[in-house]
Amino acid sequence: MGTNSSTVNTLLASIADVGRDSRRGGYSRPVFSTPELTLREWFQQEAQRRGLGVETDRNGILWAWWGEPERGALVTGSHLDSVPGGGAFDGPLGVASALAAVDVLRERGITRNRSLAITVFPEEEGSRFGLACLGSRLLTGDIDADKARNLRDADGTTFADAARANGLDPDRLGRDENALARIGDFVELHVEQGRGLGEDGPSVAVGGSVLGHGRWRISVSGQGNHAGTTAMADRADPLVAAAQIILAVQQAAAAVDGARATVGRISPIPGGTNVIASRVDLWLDARHPDDAAALALVETIHGKAQKIAAFEGCTVSLTPESWTGSVSFDPALGRSLELALPGAPVLATGAGHDAGILAGHVPSGMLFVRNPTGISHSPEEHVEAEDADAGAEALADVLEALL
């Protein structure tokens, strides 16, 4: 990558201390938190240093323009928020690589036939308001604006209030036809979140598809009571039922080829050490390449949960929180990516991305950069420096071919 060979790693090193989580390890950068706002400011400064014009749209999406904002532009980018205790690359790698790719294109003396924009989408992980890819869902109208405004975080703050506190007008949230029309093609570079790229092959893959996936809240209700005075035989303990439901989720998913199901969050209410809970909320994440199979798996889990809860003297309810069907990226754009990167494998991903939301509205594609650990959403997520450089170079190759 010439004189810019260390750009990606230098950029990532400059934000390496932002949002470190001393309790969980890794990084916690929820949307509109101090760390995430710091990273948004960092991006704006880096974009302006490159002479890019920066703006924030009505849904909180950052746009950095090389050329005048126009319809049908070539757009790349990713996100800067993280899951709790996440890794250093999920999101920021794509943003840093986009900035580095602009440097490479300028080094090459590329003449643009259309404008190029780098975007940063807010709340991609859904770690604060519970809905992944919220920024891109708002942009495309894939979520009703009133529903988005009324989403609440763990402290009860609505998304509308958080947006207002950060300079957005909650009444203007929602599908943005003008902003959407600016995207002629969208290409998102992202760290690979599995082991699809081997140790000896290419450093970069082309994204082919995204598994159907969704989130559901399972609420188990029982009888809150005193831990010391309530005999074991007299209890209707929802936490006992919840523990069995978690095991049932694992068993149900293991019985379906290609399925993935996870309970990664559990909240007992009221949550006292010497209190039998009155309710326990579990959050289920379920995924499968076949949408019907994913939804059938959730129904199987719901049925098992009802039986378990009844046996423990409890009741259970299942509430959908989000669903995104399986996505195949634009075939024509995919062919362009493959032609620009000869020998790059084509990988499906089980992770959700803003590109997957945009794919239903504009031609979209993805690049994945090797993660030798195969681990993501964890402090152990990793990208070697040379692979990060190769990713930025590959992104530049793709953008040059599409400009």
Side-chain angles (χ1 to χ4, degrees):
M1 201 185 292
T3 59
N4 287 299
S5 62
S6 64
T7 299
V8 177
N9 303 294
T10 299
L11 285 167
L12 292 175
S14 72
I15 59 173
D17 292 329
V18 179
R20 284 193 181 273
D21 192 318
S22 59
R23 183 172 69 88
R24 301 181 180 97
Y27 297 89
S28 293
R29 299 161 167 169
V31 70
F32 298 142
S33 66
T34 297
E36 196 258 1
L37 292 172
T38 298
L39 293 186
R40 288 168 68 90
E41 180 62 27
W42 162 83
F43 170 73
Q44 293 177 78
Q45 291 174 356
E46 289 293 339
Q48 289 164 352
R49 282 183 55 245
R50 290 164 171 80
L52 308 182
V54 183
E55 62 182 19
T56 303
D57 71 16
R58 69 193 203 199
N59 290 306
I61 301 166
L62 289 171
W63 299 73
W65 288 93
W66 184 14
E68 293 299 315
E70 63 181 12
R71 297 171 68 91
L74 177 58
V75 182
T76 187
S78 193
H79 63 98
L80 293 170
D81 65 307
S82 77
V83 297
F89 300 92
D90 184 353
L93 178 67
V95 176
S97 296
L99 292 166
V102 167
D103 295 342
V104 174
L105 292 173
R106 283 176 165 163
E107 267 194 348
R108 295 176 181 176
I110 298 303
T111 300
R112 293 179 294 100
N113 293 315
R114 56 174 169 165
S115 291
L116 171 68
I118 303 173
T119 53
V120 174
F121 290 93
E123 185 69 336
E124 193 272 350
E125 297 291 4
S127 61
R128 180 172 178 185
F129 291 97
L131 183 61
C133 299
L134 182 55
S136 53
R137 289 181 193 274
L138 282 166
L139 168 65
T140 58
D142 278 15
I143 181 174
D144 177 77
D146 282 336
K147 179 179 178 181
R149 281 187 279 266
N150 288 308
L151 292 171
R152 293 180 181 272
D153 66 12
D155 296 324
T157 301
T158 65
F159 183 69
D161 287 341
R164 184 182 296 107
N166 287 277
L168 302 178
D169 181 353
D171 292 335
R172 299 189 68 231
L173 295 171
R175 182 176 172 91
D176 188 336
E177 296 287 357
N178 290 331
L180 197 56
R182 290 175 169 182
I183 306 176
D185 297 287
F186 180 74
V187 180
E188 180 176 4
L189 180 145
H190 204 277
V191 60
E192 192 203 353
Q193 295 175 285
R195 297 182 184 275
L197 283 165
E199 294 182 4
D200 301 322
S203 300
V204 181
V206 174
S209 60
V210 179
L211 271 64
H213 57 282
R215 298 179 184 184
W216 292 259
R217 186 176 72 252
I218 301 173
S219 294
V220 188
S221 297
Q223 177 59 63
N225 215 328
H226 195 293
T229 62
T230 310
M232 301 305 288
D234 294 336
R235 299 183 178 205
D237 189 337
L239 197 52
V240 172
Q244 296 175 63
I245 291 169
I246 293 170
L247 293 175
V249 167
Q250 182 184 40
Q251 293 161 0
V256 179
D257 187 41
R260 296 98 188 260
T262 307
V263 175
R265 178 181 165 202
I266 178 169
S267 177
I269 299 168
T273 303
N274 58 347
V275 180
I276 299 169
S278 57
R279 190 180 89 233
V280 178
D281 292 331
L282 317 172
W283 280 265
L284 169 68
D285 180 302
R287 309 177 188 228
H288 195 280
D290 183 312
D291 292 353
L295 296 174
L297 172 62
V298 173
E299 284 305 308
T300 297
I301 291 169
H302 187 201
K304 290 178 178 292
Q306 288 175 313
K307 291 178 181 178
I308 291 168
F311 183 80
E312 296 295 338
C314 300
T315 60
V316 70
S317 65
L318 179 74
T319 304
E321 293 200 340
S322 69
W323 168 253
T324 303
S326 296
V327 172
S328 293
F329 291 117
D330 185 78
L333 180 58
R335 285 192 293 273
S336 296
L337 269 57
E338 291 178 56
L339 286 172
L341 303 174
V346 178
L347 294 182
T349 178
H353 300 283
D354 289 308
I357 301 300
L358 293 174
H361 305 268
V362 297
S364 300
M366 292 194 72
L367 302 180
F368 294 113
V369 177
R370 176 169 31 224
N371 172 0
T373 67
I375 296 171
S376 188
H377 283 188
S378 164
E380 296 164 83
E381 178 182 270
H382 185 65
V383 174
E384 295 289 347
E386 56 268 31
D387 286 341
D389 288 344
E393 186 86 28
L395 181 59
D397 292 341
V398 165
L399 297 177
E400 179 178 355
L402 295 172
L403 281 171

